[in-house]
Amino acid sequence: MKMTSNRPYLIRAFYDWIVDNQCTPYMVVDAYFPGVEVPQEHVNDGQIVLNVAPRAVAAFVMNNDQVAFSTRFGGVPSNIRLPIQSITGIYARENGQGMVFQPEKDTDPDPQGPGPSKPKAVKEGKAVKPSDKTVKPSLRVVK
């Protein structure tokens, strides 16, 4: 069974955790991701970092598809829209604790059959290189 992305759940959990600890949540966004609506004059190297603290935003909406809110940049009102996949990280301004997200590929076909099979020793008549093997998921400690 193909599962949905865990990114929206992790973003919400980190957001709540940061706010509950009286810190300021910042989101790092790929400003050129399709559907992103941010003031382009504040984009640096294709990214924008946004303060999403409750006191800094209005009409805040965070769901499985997007984060949207109203805020001000240099006194100018702006409506922000961030597709969930455009958010590349979330962290606390005060101590840097948070999480960075790796790009997700949504082009994998749905799995078929009873489950995963063992990797074959030969792939298209060639010996399998380490880079041809399936990458196992890994976890890392975020401090």
Side-chain angles (χ1 to χ4, degrees):
M1 169 195 280
K2 187 173 183 171
M3 295 181 70
T4 59
S5 172
N6 63 7
R7 187 176 299 207
Y9 303 94
L10 293 170
I11 290 169
R12 281 194 300 271
F14 271 92
Y15 178 86
D16 289 343
W17 175 66
I18 291 167
V19 171
D20 286 352
N21 282 279
Q22 287 78 47
C23 291
T24 308
Y26 276 21
M27 287 185 182
V28 182
V29 178
D30 174 355
Y32 300 138
F33 191 89
V36 169
E37 295 174 17
V38 296
Q40 292 298 310
E41 62 271 17
H42 296 282
V43 172
N44 290 316
D45 296 325
Q47 290 187 331
I48 188 168
V49 179
L50 300 168
N51 175 351
V52 291
R55 66 186 174 276
V57 299
F60 186 78
V61 175
M62 183 168 26
N63 58 38
N64 288 353
D65 299 318
Q66 70 177 352
V67 173
F69 56 91
S70 297
T71 191
R72 292 181 170 272
F73 285 88
V76 178
S78 297
N79 291 320
I80 306 298
R81 182 178 173 277
L82 313 170
I84 285 293
Q85 296 303 320
S86 71
I87 300 168
T88 60
I90 183 168
Y91 66 95
R93 181 193 71 195
E94 291 79 3
N95 58 23
Q97 291 190 33
M99 184 172 201
V100 174
F101 301 101
Q102 299 300 317
E104 292 182 358
K105 298 194 187 227
D106 196 28
T107 58
D108 295 342
D110 289 332
Q112 306 223 351
S117 60
K118 294 181 181 178
K120 295 182 180 180
V122 176
K123 184 176 183 180
E124 298 177 11
K126 298 178 185 175
V128 175
K129 299 176 192 170
S131 62
D132 291 336
K133 293 182 181 177
T134 303
V135 177
K136 294 182 181 178
S138 63
L139 298 175
R140 64 184 175 117
V141 177
V142 178
K143 292 185 178 186

